[in-house]
Amino acid sequence: DFISDNEIFCDKIADLDRRLGRIACQAFTDTNGLESMFKLIHVFGSLLERPIIHNDFKQNYNIVLEQLDKEMDDAKKIFDEQMEFQRENGSIQLNRNMPKVAGSLMWADELKQRYTLPMEQFKAIDNSINHSPDTKRVEDKYEELNELLRKFIENLYKEWADTVAEASKFNLNQHLITRNPKNKLLNLNFHPQLETVLREVRYLEIKDRKDIPKTALDIYEHNDTYLAYINNLNYTVSSYNKIRETVSEVEYPLIERQVESIDQQSHKIHRLQFHRHIQ
């Protein structure tokens, strides 16, 4: 009859749920890290809400929370190590060839993304564990990390914004080219700080920062001009220095007048400044 058939059907469904529960638990055991855990939970989706499967699988949510807690601790450890490095060296440990501000902002973004993504994935899980005291403790760690990074970025950016104008103005007023009085070799005098400003602003504009100091923006406005001058002057300086360094005493009288003519021209360039020349 219908009742007995329904009981048989329900028993088969329950048996199927138990099998699925065991499969889900075994698959979870085989996961490696939070990313694969969340992928597994996403794949099973609403099946994990079925009572029998949920009863078998629910203890795994505690493991997810433990891993998430560890992720927060690892992120805090990385932050503390970088702050210690900064106290000793004046800057955090940056990726190769990255300027201080842009490199620090990139590091902060990468660190925040590292612990934010799993936190958002965990919050998306509709489970009673989301309202447990342990979850609240992990959320507090998450908020603490956000605040630490916010203050780090704020202090870093303020320090740069407060000094970039004065330093840039001073360096832009230096002569285009300097000469070594001992060996008479020329040297391009475009200060590394100005190159750094150009790179900083390029990155900050990519990140759509709205509070870039006006001085830095003004310098970056002439970015192409500066780069063209640097390339041309570098070529000129290296060509001149090559003559000075490679010509022999016997050969020098043959080109002495030309070298003196170049020296007269370069003497005029010595008095030029990047800022005034571009203006």
Side-chain angles (χ1 to χ4, degrees), residues 194-228:
L194 297 173
E195 293 185 49
T196 299
V197 169
L198 296 176
R199 295 166 64 196
E200 301 279 25
V201 176
R202 185 183 303 116
Y203 178 81
L204 293 173
E205 286 199 333
I206 292 174
K207 300 300 290 184
D208 200 28
R209 294 279 305 211
K210 303 299 184 183
D211 53 349
I212 302 175
K214 184 178 184 303
T215 302
L217 284 173
D218 290 342
I219 295 173
Y220 187 72
E221 183 181 351
H222 300 290
N223 179 55
D224 292 340
T225 305
Y226 283 128
L227 292 179

Side-chain angles (χ1 to χ4, degrees), residues 44-62:
F44 276 90
S46 60
L47 284 174
L48 297 178
E49 299 173 11
R50 296 179 64 85
I52 293 177
I53 299 176
H54 176 75
N55 188 59
D56 290 340
F57 192 82
K58 62 183 180 181
Q59 74 273 8
N60 293 319
Y61 291 115
N62 291 320

